[in-house]
């Protein structure tokens, strides 16, 4: 019971915000309409139950006029039922897409806010495969929550409606065994209750492992899909390394987990299906067995027997809601757990960003330098990495950062950018200052070349002429005619071309502080020298901070700082001043 209660609390916490959102009135109106139609459906079923009595009595009595009248009645009722069923499905789907849209926008907003997605990965990304949680899990949550919720409402209202009918019929035709009546008030209701309770208990006994199996199946499917995408994204490197066989084996291993878990689902589903199918078929004949003695004893007519069987079926069906939806309930519970884990991952990333025990860059009013004081960067496991104190990046100055591989140079840039929280100390940044980080492998969104260059600015921020000019400046004049072309530019262009586009992006945005993390390392030295001269010329007011290993970079920077090992960590220290261009 605690597990069910916990799941329901989680469902409420995930679902309730939509019905308090800006779209709440539309959502409440659609949900109300769906519920009203569901209640109307139960009302029609009650009318059809009474119709069973009259119709079969007409057949037994060979009453032609009554037979025709009941056929007309049935036609009208069923026509109404079909119309409202169609509109219920339509309104249900409309509510689903509105609810899903709101949840997706909310999750995307929280996941892609203040580098939460990056911090979630740094923490080990317990909420694995966010792509699946934002697509399949949100879709399934909305669908299953509505369908299970409406189904439960239907069962409760049906039970309340037909228990009264079945209790009354039990009084009209008491249990008849061994030639005499046995007075058990509402015996048909108790029979339905015992039958459903026994079936529910056995179904849960057989099927409870499905919850864990469904959870793992979604995880394995997402892992397999994610690794397929990685192979597609890195196809060139895999081909160059002749890694086809290795990747095939790795993918087959992951797919093996999918197959193995699926076989477990198949085995468990077979057992559940065997029982529920037997249960359902037995439930068709069980009410006739229960009332047959009274019928053959002349205690009721054929119409009464058919009405009793129908009412019994409705009560038993309502009580057996858990059995009929067990597979969906197991899948729904797994989806709820995955969304709960995703929200927990987002909350943990948010908490890490504002934790007093983490690094938080502070906006300094009136300052014109980036200051690092008593700063200690650590790895996520707490191991010391970089120490810096009293270090300043003065506005307009060009600084070269050097040091051995793995010494934490890129991590230092991440901390200044505000996305590396692990450590302690203070990073002070001028209030309102614009920072741009250019990594060795720049990111370009899939889309037009123009949007790739101007990212993260909105499309049309810069004119076509501006984009064409900057492409010529960075040595890519041939791309000026392809600005409207759609493509996957991280795959289409060489790494050197991508780095030239990264410099073009910086020239367009003119940041106050430009951090170049080996952003020209894939270019030959003459090309690198040309681009650095271009940066110095076109961005004279920009503070440049570069990470690089080539000695030729020294000529373009006014000072050099180096990360040197000091015990278990690296310390940031001043080197000799170098010549400048």
């Amino acid at each position: 019971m605690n597990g069910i209660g916990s799941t329901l609390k989680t469902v409420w916490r995930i679902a309730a915000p939509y019905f308090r959102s800006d779209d709440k009135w539309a959502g409440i109106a659609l949900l109300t309409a769906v519920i009203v139609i569901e209640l109307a459906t139960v009302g029609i079923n009650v009318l059809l139950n009474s119709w069973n009595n009259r119709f079969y009595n007409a057949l037994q009595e060979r009453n032609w006029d009554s037979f025709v009248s009941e056929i007309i009645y049935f036609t009208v009722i069923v026509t109404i039922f079909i119309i409202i069923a169609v509109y219920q499905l339509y309104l249900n789907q409309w509510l689903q897409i509105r609810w899903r849209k709101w949840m997706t926008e909310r999750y995307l907003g929280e996941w892609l806010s203040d580098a939460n997605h990056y911090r979630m990965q740094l923490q080990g990304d317990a909420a694995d495969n966010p792509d699946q949680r934002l697509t399949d899990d949100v879709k399934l949550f909305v669908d299953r929550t509505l369908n299970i919720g409406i189904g439960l409402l239907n069962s409760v209202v049906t039970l309340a409606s037909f228990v009264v009918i079945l209790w009354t019929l039990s009084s009209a035709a008491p249990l008849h065994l061994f030639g005499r009546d046995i007075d058990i008030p509402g015996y048909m209701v108790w029979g339905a209750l015992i039958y459903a309770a026994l079936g529910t208990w056995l179904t849960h006994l057989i099927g409870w492992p499905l919850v864990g199996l469904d959870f793992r199946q979604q995880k394995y499917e997402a892992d397999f899909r994610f690794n397929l995408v990685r192979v597609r994204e890195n196809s060139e490197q895999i081909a160059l390394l002749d890694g086809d066989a290795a990747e095939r084996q790795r993918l087959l291993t992951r797919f093996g987990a999918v197959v193995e878990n699926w076989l477990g689902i198949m085995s468990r589903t077979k057992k559940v299906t065997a029982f529920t199918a037997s249960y359902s078929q037995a439930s068709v004949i069980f009410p006739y067995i229960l009332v047959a003695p009274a019928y053959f004893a002349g205690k009721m007519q054929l119409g009464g027997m058919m009405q009793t069987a129908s009412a019994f079926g409705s009560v038993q069906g309502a009580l057996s809601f858990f059995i009929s939806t067990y597979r969906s309930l197991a899948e729904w519970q797994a989806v709820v757990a995955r969304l709960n884990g995703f929200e927990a991952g987002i909350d943990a990333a948010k908490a890490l960003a504002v934790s007093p025990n983490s690094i938080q860059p502070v906006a300094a009013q009136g300052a014109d330098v980036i200051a690092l004081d008593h700063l200690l960067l650590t790895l996520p496991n707490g191991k010391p990495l970089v120490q810096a104190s009293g270090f300043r990046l003065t506005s307009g100055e060009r600084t070269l950062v050097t040091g051995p591989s793995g010494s934490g140079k890129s991590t230092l840039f991440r901390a200044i950018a505000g996305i590396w929280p692990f450590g302690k100390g203070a990073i002070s940044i001028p209030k309102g200052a614009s920072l741009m980080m250019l990594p060795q492998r720049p990111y370009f969104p899939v889309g037009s070349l123009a949007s790739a260059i101007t990212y993260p600015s909105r499309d049309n921020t810069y004119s076509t002429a501006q984009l064409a000019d900057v492409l010529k400046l960075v040595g890519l004049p041939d791309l000026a005619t392809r600005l409207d072309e759609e493509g996957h530019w991280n795959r289409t262009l060489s790494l050197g071309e991508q780095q030239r586009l990264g410099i073009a992006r910086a020239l367009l945005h003119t940041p106050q502080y430009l951090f170049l993390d080996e952003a020209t390392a894939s270019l030959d030295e003459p090309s690198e020298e040309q681009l650095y001269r271009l940066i110095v010329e076109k961005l004279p007011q920009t503070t440049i901070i570069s990470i690089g290993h080539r000695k030729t970079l020294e000529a373009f920077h006014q000072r050099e700082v180096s990360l040197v090992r000091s015990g278990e960590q690296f310390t940031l220290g001043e080197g000799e001043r170098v010549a400048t261009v």
Side-chain angles (χ1 to χ4, degrees), residues 48-58 169 301 303-304 307:
L48 288 175
N49 179 260
S50 299
W51 173 86
N52 270 299
N53 192 325
R54 300 192 304 273
F55 179 73
Y56 284 101
N57 282 341
L169 291 170
Q301 291 183 293
Q307 183 184 13

Side-chain angles (χ1 to χ4, degrees), residues 86-325:
V86 168
Y87 274 95
Q88 184 187 41
L89 176 61
Y90 176 76
L91 295 175
N92 188 304
Q93 291 177 333
W94 192 4
L95 175 57
Q96 283 189 40
I97 195 60
R98 294 185 74 106
W99 191 355
R100 181 186 175 188
K101 176 176 179 289
W102 184 86
M103 285 188 67
T104 301
E105 290 175 350
R106 175 195 170 199
Y107 281 146
L108 278 176
E110 294 183 351
W111 182 53
L112 294 175
S113 173
D114 194 27
N116 280 334
H117 54 97
Y118 180 70
R119 279 188 293 274
M120 288 170 70
Q121 290 185 338
L122 293 178
Q123 291 180 302
D125 202 8
D128 57 272
N129 302 302
D131 56 307
Q132 184 198 17
R133 304 193 187 214
L134 287 163
T135 53
D136 295 347
D137 288 344
V138 170
K139 178 178 180 294
L140 285 172
F141 174 80
V142 172
D143 176 77
R144 296 295 185 269
T145 300
L146 278 176
N147 289 338
I148 291 173
I150 296 299
L152 180 61
L153 174 67
N154 178 287
S155 296
V156 171
V157 176
T158 296
L159 182 63
S161 302
F162 281 93
V163 158
V164 177
I165 296 173
L166 196 60
W167 193 284
T168 303
L169 291 170
S170 298
S171 301
L175 181 62
H176 189 83
L177 291 176
F178 309 112
R180 64 191 185 89
D181 293 340
I182 300 175
D183 186 20
I184 302 177
Y187 72 95
M188 295 183 196
V189 175
W190 298 117
L193 179 61
I194 294 170
Y195 185 81
L198 182 62
T200 298
W201 177 70
L202 289 173
T203 300
H204 181 62
L205 195 67
I206 297 169
W208 68 265
L210 279 172
V211 175
L213 287 167
D214 278 326
F215 184 92
R216 290 190 292 274
Q217 188 68 23
Q218 292 176 38
K219 173 179 171 59
Y220 295 150
E221 294 278 8
D223 284 344
F224 180 57
R225 183 172 63 241
F226 174 75
N227 280 273
L228 285 172
V229 173
R230 279 187 55 82
V231 171
R232 186 188 68 188
E233 295 286 347
N234 298 280
S235 58
E236 181 181 358
Q237 293 91 323
I238 293 169
L240 289 172
L241 291 170
D242 194 21
D244 296 4
E247 287 301 323
R248 182 168 58 251
Q249 185 57 47
R250 288 167 63 86
L251 289 171
L252 286 175
T253 299
R254 292 186 179 276
F255 186 65
V258 173
V259 173
E260 183 179 357
N261 197 75
W262 182 256
L263 291 174
I265 291 176
M266 286 172 54
S267 176
R268 188 58 55 174
T269 302
K270 179 182 69 174
K271 296 174 183 177
V272 172
T273 303
F275 176 76
T276 55
S278 303
Y279 175 89
S280 298
Q281 293 303 315
S283 67
V284 174
I285 201 69
F286 184 74
Y288 292 103
I289 295 174
L290 201 59
V291 300
Y295 173 74
F296 286 107
K299 301 292 184 179
M300 66 168 56
Q301 291 183 293
L302 178 61
M305 184 179 187
M306 299 305 295
Q307 183 184 13
T308 300
S310 174
F312 183 94
S314 295
V315 171
Q316 179 268 328
L319 291 170
S320 303
F321 170 78
F322 181 76
I323 298 173
S324 60
T325 60

Side-chain angles (χ1 to χ4, degrees), residues 320-458:
S320 303
F321 170 78
F322 181 76
I323 298 173
S324 60
T325 60
Y326 193 88
R327 188 70 178 83
S328 293
L329 282 167
E331 184 180 35
W332 179 61
Q333 192 169 353
V335 166
V336 170
R338 288 181 62 80
L339 285 181
N340 184 48
F342 185 57
E343 289 193 354
I346 291 176
D347 291 341
K350 288 181 178 179
L352 184 61
V354 298
S355 170
N357 297 321
S358 64
I359 301 169
Q360 300 176 37
V362 177
Q365 187 74 38
D368 61 351
V369 297
I370 293 179
L372 282 60
D373 292 304
H374 306 292
L375 181 67
L376 175 63
L377 303 183
T378 67
L379 296 174
N381 62 10
K383 181 180 178 181
L385 182 61
V386 175
Q387 185 178 36
S389 184
F391 181 73
R392 301 289 184 270
L393 293 173
T394 305
S395 178
E397 192 173 49
R398 299 189 296 277
T399 302
L400 177 63
V401 180
T402 61
S405 297
S407 58
K409 301 183 297 296
S410 297
T411 302
L412 179 63
F413 277 19
R414 296 183 189 113
I416 294 173
I419 67 172
W420 188 267
F422 302 107
K424 59 183 179 180
I427 298 178
S428 176
I429 298 174
K431 186 174 182 179
S434 58
L435 280 66
M436 175 174 281
M437 302 280 169
L438 286 186
Q440 186 173 5
R441 183 178 292 274
Y443 167 74
F444 300 103
V446 176
S448 70
L449 179 60
S451 64
I453 301 170
T454 59
Y455 180 86
S457 296
R458 293 181 178 275

Side-chain angles (χ1 to χ4, degrees), residues 35-49 81 84 150 153-162:
I35 290 174
V36 168
I37 292 175
E38 190 67 29
L39 296 177
T41 301
V42 175
I44 289 176
N45 287 331
V46 171
L47 294 176
L48 288 175
N49 179 260
F81 177 84
I84 66 174
I150 296 299
L153 174 67
N154 178 287
S155 296
V156 171
V157 176
T158 296
L159 182 63
S161 302
F162 281 93

